[in-house]
Amino acid sequence: MIELLKNIFGKNKIQKVEPEPVKVSGKCLKLLEWEQFLERLHQTDHYISRKEYLPEVQKFSETMQSLKTIDEHGVLEAYCNQNGFALEKARVLYSEYENIIHLVDQINDSYVDAKLVEEQSYLDQILKEVDPVIRLDEDQRKVVLSDEDYSLVIAGAGAGKTTTVAAKVKYLVEKQKIDPKQILIISFTNKAVNELRGKINRDLNIPCPIATFHSTGNAILHKKDPEKLNIIDGSKLYYCVQGYFRGTILKDPGVVNSLILFFASYFDAPYEGDDINHFFNHMANANYATMRSELDDFKEEIIDRKSRKKVTIQNEIVRSIQEVEIANFLYLNGIEYTYEPIYPYNIRMASKPYTPDFKIMQGNHTAYIEHFGITEEGKNFLYDEKTLTAYKKAVNDKISLHRQHGTELIYTFSAYKDGRSISDHLEEKLVQRGFELHRRSDEEIVKKLIAMEENKYIRRLVFLVINFIRNFKVNGYDEGDFAELARKTSNVRTRLFLDICHGCFLEYKKYLIENHAVD
C-alpha cells in the first residue's frame, strides 16, 4: 500500500498511514478551493452562463483526475487520512465535479423560477409597444430570463419565435444593461429577418444588428478581406468535380489507378457485419451491374421465345457484389467470359440445368469459375448449421462434377484466411492455369467512364464526392488533413476514396482561389 502511494505521489512523500488526521496538506488545498467555488455558485443571484463557470471547472481537472486514480487503486481512504481530509467529503466533492453541469442547471432553474414571480408584471407588459395584447406563455418567459452566452430558439411555424426573440432582446437591454451593438440576431430567411427588424429595430427602437446567416458570414469575410469576394452556390462544386473526372484526372496516373480499382472492387463494397436486417437492407439497395455492361461493351443477343426475334441485352446483372468484382476483374484484364452459361452436363438428381457462375475463354483454353458464398474456412454467418451443411455438399457436388467430366474449374471464396482480396486470389489462379492477363489501359477505361453522362459509376461517385467535400469543409478540414484521415484507417476502400476526393478537392480549391471566390 505504501509503495503504491509512493508511486502515485512521489517517493519519500508518504512514510506510513496515520490513523489520526493532521492539518490539511497542500495536496488537498485544491479540494478546499473546489468546495469554496461550489459555495459561491450556490450563493449566486444571477443566471450562471457556461462562460462563467466552465473555465473555473477546468482549473480543477488535474486534481479530480488524480483523485479518481487514487480511488481506482483503492487507496483513497489512506490518502485522505494522510492529508487530513474527510473521506466522504472528498467523494461528495468529486461527485459534484462529475455532475457540475446538472448542478448548474438546477441552480439556474431555481433562479428562473424565482424571476418568473419577481418579474411577472414586467413580463406581462414587455411587448406593449409592439402589441398591447401580446402575453408571453411560461416557456417564452423562461427563454427571456435564461442568460446563456448563445441562445437558439426553435419552434414550429406560428409558435411565436419572433415574439420570443424580441422580448429577450428588450430584457437584455433594459434589465441586463447590455449594449444593443453587442447583441447579434441571426435567422435563415429574409422574411424572418424583416419581421425581427420590424419588431425590434422599429417598434422597440433597439438598434441591434439583425441578419441572415448568409449575410452575416459575408460580412465576417469582408471584414477580414476588404476586396470584393464572389459568393458561389453549390452548383459550382458539382461542375468542378465533374470537370475533374472529364479531363484533369488523366494527368494524375496515381488517382486514375485508384479510380479504376475503386470502381472494379470497392464501389459497392460487400457487407461485412453480422446483423441480418442490415444485410438484407444492403442487398436490397445494392447494384449488381458489371463494368462491361455499364461501359456499353456487352451486346450479346438472345432469341425472344415468344416473338422469335433477336433481343440485345443492354445490362449484365449478376447475383452479388463479389460476382461484380470477379466480372470486373475479367473485363479489365481482357478475359472473355459468359455469365451463368448452361453446363453441358447435369448434376445428378438436380431439378434444373447446372449453370456455373462464369465460363472464361482465351483462344482454345476454356475454364469455369465458381464463386462460393462461404469463407475459405467454410463459414457464413447467414446460414444455420443445417443450411451450411447443405451448401457445402452442393459445393463438393460441383467440384466432383467438373472432375468427372474433365472440365477445368477455378473457384473462389467470399473471404480468405490471408486477408487478401478475391481479385488477388483469382489473378493468382488464372496465371497458374496458363491464362494471360492483358490489362486494359486505365486511360481507356476512364475515357469510357467519363464519356457516358448516365454511367452509374461516375454519376453516383460525383454526388458521393460532393457530399464528402461539403462535410469536409464544414468540419474545418483542409488539404493537409487528407493524409491524416488516410493514416487513421486501414480500410482499402476508404483510402481509395480519400485519394479520389483529394484530387477533386484540390481542383475545387484551385477554382476558388483563381476566382477570388468563397462558398
Side-chain angles (χ1 to χ4, degrees):
M1 175 87 62
I2 296 299
E3 288 302 317
L4 180 57
L5 288 168
K6 285 180 180 180
N7 290 335
I8 296 174
F9 302 108
K11 295 180 180 178
N12 302 320
K13 294 287 183 74
I14 298 174
Q15 300 299 324
K16 62 180 181 177
V17 178
E18 298 287 349
E20 296 293 330
V22 294
K23 287 184 178 180
V24 175
S25 74
K27 293 189 183 74
C28 284
L29 286 177
K30 275 287 186 182
L31 285 177
L32 288 177
E33 288 179 26
W34 173 246
E35 185 178 29
Q36 292 163 4
F37 172 70
L38 289 175
E39 289 175 359
R40 291 197 301 273
L41 282 183
H42 282 288
Q43 293 168 6
T44 301
D45 62 349
H46 61 266
Y47 192 96
I48 306 167
S49 69
R50 283 169 170 76
K51 179 175 65 178
E52 183 178 350
Y53 77 88
L54 285 180
E56 288 294 320
V57 171
Q58 188 60 35
K59 293 178 184 178
F60 299 96
S61 62
E62 188 176 341
T63 299
M64 295 304 175
Q65 185 57 48
S66 297
L67 204 66
K68 182 180 179 182
T69 303
I70 295 164
D71 199 20
E72 287 173 349
H73 284 85
V75 292
L76 181 59
E77 184 174 4
Y79 169 75
C80 289
N81 288 339
Q82 181 68 23
N83 292 284
F85 207 88
L87 172 64
E88 287 308 313
K89 181 183 279 191
R91 284 188 168 145
V92 168
L93 291 175
Y94 177 76
S95 174
E96 290 185 326
Y97 177 85
E98 288 283 276
N99 296 285
I100 185 62
I101 294 177
H102 179 64
L103 175 64
V104 172
D105 285 345
Q106 287 181 323
I107 295 171
N108 284 336
D109 286 345
S110 297
Y111 168 80
V112 170
D113 287 342
K115 281 291 180 181
L116 284 172
V117 177
E118 183 183 331
E119 300 286 4
Q120 181 179 346
S121 177
Y122 173 79
L123 293 172
D124 286 345
Q125 304 296 319
I126 193 169
L127 291 178
K128 63 181 180 181
E129 296 98 328
V130 177
D131 186 344
V133 301
I134 291 178
R135 293 288 293 249
L136 302 181
D137 62 25
E138 185 173 335
D139 286 335
Q140 289 175 312
R141 294 175 189 229
K142 286 181 177 179
V143 172
V144 170
L145 295 170
S146 63
D147 192 18
E148 207 36 272
D149 306 311
Y150 303 94
S151 297
L152 175 64
V153 181
I154 305 173
K161 295 186 293 296
T162 304
T163 298
T164 306
V165 172
K168 185 172 182 67
V169 169
K170 184 178 182 184
Y171 181 82
L172 289 171
V173 173
E174 288 189 347
K175 292 288 186 176
Q176 302 296 332
K177 306 304 179 185
I178 303 296
D179 182 350
K181 294 179 182 178
Q182 299 301 312
I183 301 172
L184 173 62
I185 302 171
I186 321 174
S187 189
F188 283 102
T189 65
N190 286 319
K191 180 183 177 183
V193 165
N194 289 333
E195 288 177 1
L196 286 162
R197 285 174 179 167
K199 286 186 178 179
I200 297 170
N201 297 154
R202 185 189 67 225
D203 297 341
L204 296 177
N205 196 29
I206 298 175
C208 62
I210 305 172
T212 61
F213 280 95
H214 185 90
S215 59
T216 302
N218 196 13
I220 293 169
L221 289 170
H222 280 93
K223 187 176 181 180
K224 291 187 176 182
D225 188 347
E227 293 183 39
K228 188 174 181 180
L229 291 168
N230 297 313
I231 311 297
I232 62 171
D233 59 29
S235 64
K236 182 51 64 178
L237 175 56
Y238 172 83
Y239 289 116
C240 277
V241 172
Q242 187 185 58
Y244 177 77
F245 285 128
R246 282 179 173 173
T248 311
I249 191 173
L250 295 174
K251 300 175 184 177
D252 191 337
V255 180
V256 168
N257 185 263
S258 295
L259 185 68
I260 299 300
L261 184 57
F262 185 75
F263 284 158
S265 302
Y266 295 101
F267 197 94
D268 283 306
Y271 180 72
E272 296 179 346
D274 55 5
D275 185 301
I276 191 71
N277 291 323
H278 287 173
F279 169 79
F280 284 115
N281 285 333
H282 178 86
M283 293 285 284
N285 294 315
N287 186 320
Y288 299 145
T290 66
M291 289 188 78
R292 184 171 73 168
S293 63
E294 289 292 335
L295 297 180
D296 206 26
D297 275 9
F298 189 45
K299 299 292 185 181
E300 180 179 331
E301 292 183 335
I302 60 173
I303 302 296
D304 183 273
R305 291 182 180 178
K306 291 183 179 179
S307 66
R308 307 305 298 170
K309 294 180 180 179
K310 290 184 178 181
V311 180
T312 301
I313 299 175
Q314 294 298 331
N315 284 300
E316 178 182 45
I317 306 296
V318 297
R319 296 180 185 275
S320 72
I321 295 297
Q322 293 173 337
E323 287 187 359
V324 171
E325 181 179 349
I326 293 170
N328 288 349
F329 179 85
L330 296 173
Y331 172 78
L332 290 173
N333 287 281
I335 302 291
E336 185 182 347
Y337 71 87
T338 303
Y339 182 65
E340 290 195 340
I342 296 178
Y343 188 67
Y345 309 100
N346 291 327
I347 297 176
R348 188 181 177 188
M349 306 296 290
S351 59
K352 59 181 181 179
Y354 167 48
T355 55
D357 292 328
F358 298 90
K359 178 181 179 180
I360 58 175
M361 298 78 70
Q362 194 171 72
N364 295 323
H365 191 176
T366 299
Y368 294 90
I369 298 175
E370 277 283 16
H371 177 68
F372 298 134
I374 55 176
T375 68
E376 189 178 13
E377 296 168 312
K379 297 179 180 178
N380 185 317
F381 82 92
L382 291 171
Y383 295 160
D384 57 30
E385 189 173 343
K386 182 179 179 182
T387 305
L388 188 60
T389 299
Y391 188 89
K392 288 179 179 179
K393 181 182 182 303
V395 167
N396 291 327
D397 287 345
K398 291 174 182 179
I399 294 173
S400 297
L401 184 68
H402 282 277
R403 285 177 181 167
Q404 178 184 346
H405 296 286
T407 49
E408 189 173 351
L409 176 65
I410 298 170
Y411 50 86
T412 56
F413 295 105
S414 61
Y416 288 86
K417 289 183 284 188
D418 62 11
R420 292 190 298 145
S421 68
I422 295 169
S423 296
D424 286 344
H425 282 272
L426 180 59
E427 178 178 3
E428 195 174 83
K429 290 183 178 183
L430 287 170
V431 172
Q432 287 174 354
R433 303 294 181 89
F435 284 93
E436 295 180 5
L437 305 183
H438 301 288
R439 173 79 179 184
R440 295 175 190 265
S441 74
D442 289 341
E443 186 173 349
E444 173 196 349
I445 300 300
V446 170
K447 282 182 176 179
K448 279 194 173 186
L449 284 167
I450 62 180
M452 301 177 63
E453 292 295 329
E454 294 304 311
N455 179 274
K456 71 126 180 179
Y457 287 115
I458 290 296
R459 188 173 65 252
R460 287 178 59 198
L461 184 61
V462 165
F463 287 107
L464 197 62
V465 169
I466 286 172
N467 287 331
F468 173 85
I469 290 177
R470 282 176 178 159
N471 287 314
F472 186 79
K473 286 170 65 67
V474 164
N475 283 280
Y477 293 120
D478 206 344
E479 180 185 345
D481 294 296
F482 277 97
E484 180 63 16
L485 290 172
R487 187 186 64 79
K488 289 180 178 178
T489 181
S490 59
N491 185 282
V492 177
R493 182 177 189 265
T494 302
R495 285 175 175 269
L496 290 170
F497 182 67
L498 285 171
D499 196 22
I500 296 165
C501 286
H502 190 188
C504 295
F505 179 82
L506 293 178
E507 184 80 359
Y508 182 51
K509 187 174 182 180
K510 177 185 174 186
Y511 172 86
L512 295 177
I513 293 171
E514 289 177 349
N515 291 274
H516 199 58
V518 293
D519 57 14

